Amino acid sequence: PKLDAEGRAALAEIIDSAPDGTLAEWADTLAERAGCRLDPSTVWRYARAMGRTGKKRRLAPRSATATT
């Protein structure tokens, strides 16, 4: 399913209000608000197209021995 303008606006609000959320969380919240269930990968494509990618953070500390 494709998002209409209202769905894209809802997704933008969701990402802006919870930038550290996961794609699955964004998809669940979008389903609650807009009534349109999307796969997390589809949510990612819409978010990337809108220029919103959320907060980037490392899941593990940097390696002390590897060059980064």
Side-chain angles (χ1 to χ4, degrees):
K2 294 189 178 191
L3 286 179
D4 57 0
E6 184 178 316
R8 286 190 296 271
L11 181 59
E13 277 183 31
I14 292 165
I15 295 170
D16 290 342
S17 67
D20 58 343
T22 63
L23 293 171
E25 291 171 344
W26 291 345
D28 291 340
T29 306
L30 182 63
E32 292 171 5
R33 288 191 190 177
C36 181
R37 181 71 187 158
L38 297 178
D39 190 68
S41 63
T42 305
V43 171
W44 167 248
R45 284 192 293 273
Y46 276 110
R48 188 178 60 193
M50 292 186 293
R52 291 176 167 87
T53 57
K55 180 179 177 183
K56 293 175 179 56
R57 61 182 171 159
R58 298 180 67 84
L59 296 176
R62 289 184 178 257
S63 172
T65 58
T67 57
T68 55

